[in-house]
Structure formats: C-alpha cells, structure tokens
C-alpha cells in the first residue's frame, strides 16, 4: 500500500528532484545516442512514478525539469527556443501528458490517503473492540473469582454413542475449588467422577445436568451431599452455555439447620403448650370436684376437711407451675434479680426438704443428708437457693421408683460450695444429659407423663444457678442407674456467727392477736383470707373496694393491711399512698397482694409505701410470717 505520509514534504521534493535529475541524465544519454526526436519517454515514466509515489509537487518538479531539458535539447540545441513544429508538438504533448499524470497522481494520492485512513480507523476500531472484550472478560473473571459463591463451567464427556456419561471442569472459581477441597489447577480438565467418585450416585443428578445441556433450559434444585467428605446441603443453579453447562452451587447447610431447628422449636412449643394445658387441667379437675363436694349439704366435717386439703395441694401445684413459667420468662429476658445476702446453707436445705417432703414420703424414699461439720455460708438469695434444691429433690423423688434412696451431700471447698443430689432412680441417657437443661425439650413424650412436669424445672434451676455465678451438671451411668446433679456455688468470703441465723428463725410459732385489714374486690378471696386470719385469733376487717379500705383504715387503725392492687374507686397503690400521707400512717404494715410480680411492679408498690409485695396465690405461711414480724414490732406477743 502506498503511503505518502511516511515521508515529509521536503523529503518528497528532494526525492522528486533527484528522480528528475536522474531522468534528465538518462534522457540526455538517450538523446545523444538516439537523437533529439526521441519522445520524453524517461521523463514521462519518471513523472508518472513521482505522481504516484511522491505526490503532485515532486511530479511537478520532474515536469519542469523535463520541459527545460526539452527546450535545451531540442533544435536549436542549448537555447530556450524550439524551432521545429514536430518538436514543439512533442514538447506540448509531453507537458499535456505530464499534467494529466500530475492530476491523476494527485487523485490517486487522495484515494490512497482515504483508503489508508480507513484502514487505520478499521485497525484502531478492531483494537478497541479487542480491548473492550478483554476488559469485559477480565471484569467477568474478577467478579467470578471474588464471588464467595462456588461457580464452575462443565464440559460434557460423551461415550461412543454420544450419550453424556460425565462432565469435566473447564473452569472453576476459587470458592468452588475450596468447597470441593482441591487445588483449582488440579481439577481443570478432569472428569468429575474421577475426582469425586460416586458424585452421580445422587438420584437424578446426572440426568438434571444432561437435560440442561440438551434442552438449554436452566434448572435449580437442592441436594444433600455426603460423598467424598463433602457433607452438607447445597442449592444448585445450572444453566446451559453452548454445549457446556454453568453451575453455581451454594452451601445452605446453616440455613437448612436453622430451618430444622425452627421447626423443632415450633414442635417443642406445640408439645409444651399441649403439656401446659394438660398440666394446668390436671389440678383443676380435683379442685372443681373438691369444691362441689364441699357444697354438698350431707358432707361431713371430715369430708370437707379432706376436700380443703385437696384444693390446697392442687392449687399449690398450680402455683409452682405458674411460678416456674414466670421465672423462666424473667430469666430468659434477663430481668430476674437476686436478693443476695450472706446466708447459711442449712436453712435453705431445710426449706427445700420441707417442699419436697410430701412426694418423698408418698413414694417412701429414704432421704440421706450429709453436711460438713461446720456451718457453710453463701452470698446468695436464700429463696432461690431453696428453689434450686427443692427442684432437684423433687425431681429425684419423681424420677425414682418407690422405695428409692436420695442423697443430698454438701461439701465446702476453698471458694466453692458443692451440693450434690443423687438418686437411685431411672437414670438419664448420656445423650440427654445436656438437653434436659434446655427449656421445652425436657418433656418426656416417650413416657407416661404422669410424674413429669412441664420440662422447665431444670431450665429454671440452671438459670438460677448461673445467676448466682455457679454451675450445674448432671451425671448418670445410664437408664436404671440413678442420676446425680451437682450444683457448685461460690462460697461467701466472710463468716457470720451461727446465732444470727438461728435467732432469725426462732419466732415462728409466737401467737398474738393483731388488727388486720383485708381489702380485695374478689369477695371470695377477701372472705376466705379473713376467716383464716380470724381463726388465728386476729381481729379482722374486710373491705371490697379502695375507698371503703381507706375509710376502714381510719376507723379501725389496723396493725397490718393486706391490700389488693387492682380495686375499684381507689387502687391499692392509691390507698397505700393516702394511708402513708395521713397522720400516724407510717406505723401500719402495708402488704400489697397482687397478680403482678415483675420487678417494676414490686418497685412501684414499694415506692407507694408498701412494706411487702406478695404475688397471688399467696401462701398463708408467708402471710403468717409477716404477721409474726408485725407482732414482734408491735410487742403484742
Ligand atoms: P420436668 O420434671 O417438669 O419434666 P425438669 O426440667 O425438672 O422438667 O426435668 C427435665 C427432664 O429431666 C425430666 O423430664 C426428666 O426426664 C429428666 N430428669 C430430671 N431429673 C431427673 C432425675 N433425677 N432422674 C432422671 N431423670 C431426670
């Protein structure tokens, strides 16, 4: 291809001039040998060559040199005059032919330049396109390489009949190689079944890939892999790319496990609600029957007494269930606070045994208690320690066939007190030892649930132990071999003389009459409580709403007032505030009796001036304890 632009204008003119001189020399030589009438052959051909190769300017130089040479060499020689008409014609023809070549040469040059420009443009465009493709490819690769989602490109491997029998990796990203547990380079070009034998054993797997390759339609599916040490759930998305297939696969094991545990949790909750309904109905039936029995006109005193005991027992059972539920809810919300004090272990154990005693007796178990010779102190909430131990003792009694042995052993180490409750009961399977401390999962569906509870007792127990900074562990040599629960609590750093605690517990039975005000809009609740208080020898006044309660306070001036909170006209809190604001109102002991037992409810009542906050159903023993305190303060004992 001719390219004038390779030379500068001066170079072209120098070349043109040189060609013209060379042509003049040749022409001169020819003239000398062939005569002056030789046409301007050399000049014409040089001019044509210059016009094409160097452009019209240099060709013009050749034309001029040729013309001057013609003038000089045509007769008369060495003059600028041409005499003969034939020579004049030849010179004119030379100039005309030269101008035509010049014109044609300049045209040709322009076309050549256009063609050259077009060629350059095409080359640049194709280079740009190539770069764009390379950049695109690079971006695509970077994206795929950076992707955490495993990706691979598979080419089909066919048998002699053309049927696909396997696939081989033609590309896979880093994530895919890592998931498969291989170096990427060791996989590329290899057949899947050679590297991961049994990959196509998963029913329908190879068929799916074949169908994608054959039909070009994408497919997505989930499958569980257990071959070649690759365990887990995968979501696969396969689509066709020419004859090959592109496969994205994502590890969804965690998501699947989450779904499964949600399903299990939902099932556990359903089971829990069913058990809860059952457990709450259980005591309700005897309570209703005992109530009907008491109403019978022919019922003897003995029958009524027995019915009252049934109601008492069953309502206590319900209260335990409800309290456990509330405690569990508070523990899981992190709002259960402990009232820690320096406490001795012995009284907590005593109270726990007292709580579990009815069941231990009914099942005729032998209870052995082993204590260290010296007193053991804890920095703990005594009520909660009692609850922990009574749960363990009750379970030991529940899950041991009649006539078993329960051992409660206390050991004091340097900074830990360990309390172990072991039994000779049904034992626990090793795989259940952890599970039994979880909420909802402890209910024993495989067993007649007659003795079992809601399955939250141990969850509450563990929560309470951990709130104290302690640990609890279960051990068992297996079914039928008994169980052992060990609670470890931090020991108190300081010791307290034993007399402090003994003294505190001495005044339990002290009798003495008090003036007691009972206010509750539930007439039955108020009346029953009033009867019980009167039976203890107290003077009792009952009010069924807030204003009447306040009036009764002023008229009656009680030592102690049990006030329901949710009363009409004035709430218990308003009554308490009015009493505290009245002259002498600071002396009376105010007890809030309410169904609301959250910490902020307690804080509210204490702020209003109450001395105690009791949650319904209130144990009469607790009320009696409060009366006892009031008796002491009032010195009416
Ligand atoms: P519940 O007794 O209300 O079912 P718990 O949370 O107190 O709930 O106990 C959870 C489970 O642990 C029980 O259902 C029972 O299977 C098992 N368990 C607890 N204590 C013992 C024990 N001493 N011996 C055998 N199994 C026990």
């Amino acid at each position: 291809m001719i390219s004038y632009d390779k030379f500068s204008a001066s170079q072209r003119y120098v070349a043109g001039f040189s060609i013209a001189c060379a042509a003049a020399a040749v022409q001169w030589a020819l003239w000398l040998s062939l005569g002056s009438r030789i046409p301007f052959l050399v000049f014409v051909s040089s001019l044509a060559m210059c016009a094409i190769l160097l452009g019209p300017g240099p060709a013009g130089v050749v034309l001029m040199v040729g013309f001057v040479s013609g003038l000089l060499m045509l007769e008369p020689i060495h003059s600028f005059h041409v005499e003969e008409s034939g020579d004049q014609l030849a010179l004119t023809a030379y100039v005309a032919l030269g101008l035509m070549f010049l014109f044609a040469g300049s045209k040709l040059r322009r076309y050549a330049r256009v063609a050259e420009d077009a060629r350059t443009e095409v080359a640049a465009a194709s280079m740009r396109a190539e770069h764009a493709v390379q950049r695109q490819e690079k971006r695509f690769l970077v994206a795929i390489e950076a992707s955490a989602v495993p990706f691979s490109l598979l080419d089909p491997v066919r048998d002699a009949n053309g049927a696909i029998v396997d696939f081989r990796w033609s590309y896979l990203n880093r994530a895919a190689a890592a998931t498969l547990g291989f170096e990427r380079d060791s996989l590329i070009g290899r057949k899947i079944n050679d590297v991961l034998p049994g990959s196509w054993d998963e029913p329908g797997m190879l068929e799916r890939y074949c169908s994608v390759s054959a039909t070009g339609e994408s497919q997505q599916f989930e499958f569980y892999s257990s071959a070649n040490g690759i365990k887990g759930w995968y979501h696969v998305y396969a689509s066709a790319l020419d004859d090959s297939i592109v496969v994205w696969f994502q590890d969804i094991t965690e998501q699947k496990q989450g779904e499964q545990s949600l399903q299990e949790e939902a099932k556990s909750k359903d089971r829990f609600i069913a058990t809860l309904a059952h457990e709450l109905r259980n005591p309700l039936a005897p309570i209703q029957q005992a109530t009907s029995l008491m109403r019978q006109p022919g019922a003897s005193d003995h029958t009524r007494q027995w019915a009252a005991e049934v109601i008492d027992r069953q309502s206590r059972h319900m209260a335990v269930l409800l309290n456990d539920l509330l405690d569990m809810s508070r523990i899981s919300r992190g709002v259960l606070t402990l009232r820690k004090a320096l406490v001795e272990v012995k009284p907590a154990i005593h109270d726990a045994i007292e709580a579990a005693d009815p069941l231990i007796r009914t099942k005729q178990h032998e209870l052995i208690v082993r204590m260290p010779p010296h007193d053991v102190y804890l920095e703990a909430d005594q009520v909660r320690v009692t609850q922990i131990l009574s749960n363990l003792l009750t379970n030991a009694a529940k899950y041991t066939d009649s006539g078993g042995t329960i051992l409660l052993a206390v050991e004091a180490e340097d900074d830990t007190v360990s309390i172990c409750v072991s039994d000779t009961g049904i034992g626990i399977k090793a795989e259940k030892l952890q599970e039994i401390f979880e909420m909802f999962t402890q209910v024993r569906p495989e067993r007649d649930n007659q003795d079992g509870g809601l399955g939250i007792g141990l969850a509450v127990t563990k929560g309470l132990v951990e709130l104290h900074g302690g640990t609890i562990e279960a051990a068992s040599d297996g079914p039928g071999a008994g169980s052992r629960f060990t609670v470890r609590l931090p020991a108190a750093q300081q010791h307290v003389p034993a007399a402090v605690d003994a003294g505190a517990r001495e005044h339990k039975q002290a009798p003495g009459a008090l003036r007691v005000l009972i206010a509750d809009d539930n007439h039955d609740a108020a009346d029953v409580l009033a009867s019980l208080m009167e039976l203890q020898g107290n003077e009792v006044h009952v009010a069924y709403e807030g204003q009447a309660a306040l009036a009764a306070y002023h008229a009656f001036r009680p030592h102690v007032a049990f006030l329901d909170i949710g009363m009409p006209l004035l709430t218990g809190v308003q009554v308490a505030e009015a009493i505290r604001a009245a002259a002498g109102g600071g002396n009376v002991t105010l007890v809030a009796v309410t169904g609301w037992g959250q910490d902020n409810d307690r804080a509210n009542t204490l702020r209003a001036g109450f001395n105690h906050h009791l949650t319904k159903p209130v144990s009469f023993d607790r009320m009696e304890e409060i009366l006892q305190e009031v008796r002491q303060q009032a010195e009416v004992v």
Side-chain angles (χ1 to χ4, degrees):
M1 181 67 68
I2 302 162
S3 175
Y4 304 103
D5 297 335
K6 282 184 192 155
F7 307 104
S8 66
S10 54
Q11 280 174 330
R12 280 190 289 117
Y13 277 95
V14 169
F17 186 69
S18 308
I19 287 170
C21 292
V26 173
Q27 192 69 51
W28 273 81
L30 286 175
W31 255 309
L32 287 177
S33 58
L34 297 176
S36 62
R37 295 231 179 167
I38 294 295
F40 292 84
L41 187 67
V42 178
F43 276 113
V44 167
S45 49
S46 301
L47 195 149
M49 192 177 74
C50 271
I52 293 168
L53 289 180
L54 303 173
V61 172
V62 176
L63 181 66
M64 287 295 295
V65 171
F67 182 69
V68 172
S69 300
L71 287 179
L72 290 175
M73 279 186 286
L74 290 172
E75 292 295 334
I77 298 175
H78 298 148
S79 74
F80 286 102
H81 178 65
V82 179
E83 234 170 47
E84 289 203 25
S85 61
D87 285 346
Q88 286 170 355
L89 190 65
L91 195 58
T92 311
Y94 163 72
V95 171
L97 203 62
L99 286 174
M100 268 171 59
F101 274 123
L102 237 154
F103 177 72
S106 88
K107 278 282 174 208
L108 194 63
R109 182 173 173 268
R110 188 169 309 138
Y111 293 143
R113 179 173 290 155
V114 168
E116 178 68 10
D117 287 353
R119 191 187 68 85
T120 314
E121 182 54 37
V122 167
S126 95
M127 200 176 284
R128 274 201 304 275
E130 205 172 302
H131 278 156
V133 168
Q134 279 173 357
R135 220 178 45 226
Q136 197 66 21
E137 238 170 50
K138 203 167 159 193
R139 278 188 187 178
F140 177 68
L141 271 181
V142 168
I144 287 199
E145 281 302 311
S147 164
V149 182
F151 167 89
S152 54
L153 192 60
L154 305 177
D155 293 339
V157 177
R158 298 176 188 274
D159 64 6
N161 302 322
I164 299 178
V165 288
D166 200 348
F167 282 87
R168 71 172 86 242
W169 286 283
S170 62
Y171 170 78
L172 76 170
N173 69 355
R174 251 191 293 256
T179 306
L180 298 173
F182 286 89
E183 283 293 317
R184 189 199 343 217
D185 293 344
S186 70
L187 293 180
I188 291 184
R190 292 186 65 194
K191 290 190 234 168
I192 293 182
N193 216 27
D194 287 352
V195 180
L196 305 170
S199 292
W200 306 124
D201 292 353
E202 171 77 20
M205 191 78 168
L206 182 62
E207 290 71 13
R208 277 187 171 121
Y209 283 7
C210 291
S211 139
V212 172
S213 168
T215 63
E217 279 174 24
S218 304
Q219 288 216 19
Q220 51 178 322
F221 54 92
E222 287 175 1
F223 83 102
Y224 181 75
S225 156
S226 56
N228 303 298
I230 305 169
K231 285 201 163 36
W233 278 95
Y234 290 88
H235 183 100
V236 179
Y237 184 88
S239 52
L241 184 69
D242 303 328
D243 194 25
S244 308
I245 58 171
V246 170
V247 178
W248 295 91
F249 55 101
Q250 193 181 2
D251 186 344
I252 51 165
T253 312
E254 266 183 31
Q255 183 185 328
K256 276 276 171 192
Q257 282 168 346
E259 277 170 23
Q260 275 166 0
S261 72
L262 275 180
Q263 278 167 2
E264 269 160 31
E265 209 173 287
K267 268 192 214 155
S268 296
K269 271 191 183 148
D270 287 349
R271 271 206 306 270
F272 170 76
I273 288 168
T275 316
L276 178 61
H278 174 261
E279 288 297 308
L280 289 176
R281 261 202 307 270
N282 259 356
L284 212 57
I287 288 174
Q288 283 168 342
Q289 286 152 8
T291 315
S292 322
L293 192 65
M294 285 172 97
R295 282 210 205 95
Q296 299 294 319
S300 65
D301 282 352
H302 178 260
T303 309
R304 281 173 208 268
Q305 177 63 29
W306 175 80
E309 278 165 16
V310 169
I311 293 170
D312 180 53
R313 214 170 26 247
Q314 297 300 329
S315 57
R316 272 173 204 271
H317 180 59
M318 277 178 98
V320 168
L321 289 179
L322 292 171
N323 282 338
D324 271 357
L325 272 177
L326 284 175
D327 281 349
M328 198 58 237
S329 147
R330 284 185 206 129
I331 290 171
S332 55
R333 283 180 298 125
V335 296
L336 190 139
T337 40
L338 298 176
R339 289 189 188 81
K340 278 192 184 176
L342 196 64
V343 294
E344 216 232 305
V345 172
K346 234 183 267 167
I349 290 178
H350 176 270
D351 292 351
I353 293 175
E354 207 169 72
D357 192 52
L359 187 60
I360 294 175
R361 274 179 204 277
T362 310
K363 295 190 79 174
Q364 297 172 329
H365 295 315
E366 183 191 6
L367 173 66
I368 303 167
V369 180
R370 255 185 228 143
M371 299 286 294
H374 53 85
D375 290 342
V376 177
Y377 289 92
L378 294 169
E379 182 82 29
D381 183 331
Q382 181 168 337
V383 174
R384 296 306 185 177
V385 175
T386 301
Q387 190 178 350
I388 291 166
L389 298 178
S390 75
N391 276 352
L392 294 181
L393 285 170
T394 307
N395 274 353
K398 248 200 296 191
Y399 298 111
T400 300
D401 291 336
S402 298
T405 304
I406 300 170
L407 171 68
L408 190 153
V410 180
E411 275 176 36
E413 288 141 29
D414 285 350
D415 49 4
T416 312
V417 174
S418 80
I419 308 170
C420 179
V421 176
S422 52
D423 61 55
T424 53
I426 62 169
I428 303 167
K429 287 186 198 153
E431 67 268 22
K432 296 271 175 188
L433 286 173
Q434 287 301 318
E435 214 181 289
I436 53 172
F437 291 107
E438 285 166 23
M439 199 175 166
F440 300 143
T441 49
Q442 297 82 349
V443 181
R444 304 160 48 82
E446 75 276 11
R447 181 179 186 268
D448 171 14
N449 206 26
Q450 210 176 354
D451 288 337
L454 283 173
I456 54 173
L458 283 181
V460 172
T461 304
K462 183 168 187 261
L464 292 175
V465 170
E466 285 173 356
L467 273 179
H468 279 89
T471 59
I472 179 166
E473 67 181 31
S476 170
D477 293 333
S483 313
R484 211 164 46 255
F485 287 82
T486 309
V487 173
R488 288 191 182 82
L489 296 170
Q493 295 308 310
Q494 53 180 127
H495 275 231
V496 160
V500 172
D501 189 58
R505 300 175 57 77
E506 244 168 31
H507 52 74
K508 216 170 178 180
Q509 299 302 321
L514 291 172
R515 284 189 304 281
V516 181
L517 170 63
I518 293 168
D520 196 330
D521 59 341
N522 181 331
H523 289 223
D524 282 347
D527 292 345
V528 169
L529 194 56
S531 308
L532 286 169
M533 299 267 173
E534 274 166 358
L535 279 173
Q536 303 288 316
N538 299 303
E539 193 184 341
V540 184
H541 193 100
V542 179
Y544 301 121
E545 42 83 6
Q547 271 178 4
L550 190 57
Y553 164 76
H554 288 297
F556 182 54
R557 289 281 167 184
H559 292 100
V560 56
F562 291 93
L563 303 177
D564 176 33
I565 297 299
M567 285 187 293
L569 301 181
L570 285 179
T571 65
V573 168
Q574 288 168 323
V575 175
E577 282 168 348
I579 290 175
R580 289 298 185 216
N587 299 331
V588 57
T589 298
L590 296 179
V591 185
V593 181
T594 168
W596 302 104
Q598 308 283 12
D599 286 342
N600 59 335
D601 302 317
R602 288 175 192 279
N604 281 344
T605 50
L606 294 183
R607 208 176 306 121
F610 280 98
N611 302 85
H612 300 277
H613 181 113
L614 303 183
T615 43
K616 289 177 180 176
V618 181
S619 91
F620 188 65
D621 287 352
R622 179 74 189 107
M623 289 185 162
E624 189 46 41
E625 268 175 28
I626 293 172
L627 292 184
Q628 202 59 12
E629 277 172 25
V630 178
R631 276 186 200 108
Q632 276 207 326
Q633 283 163 11
E635 295 181 346
V636 290
V637 179

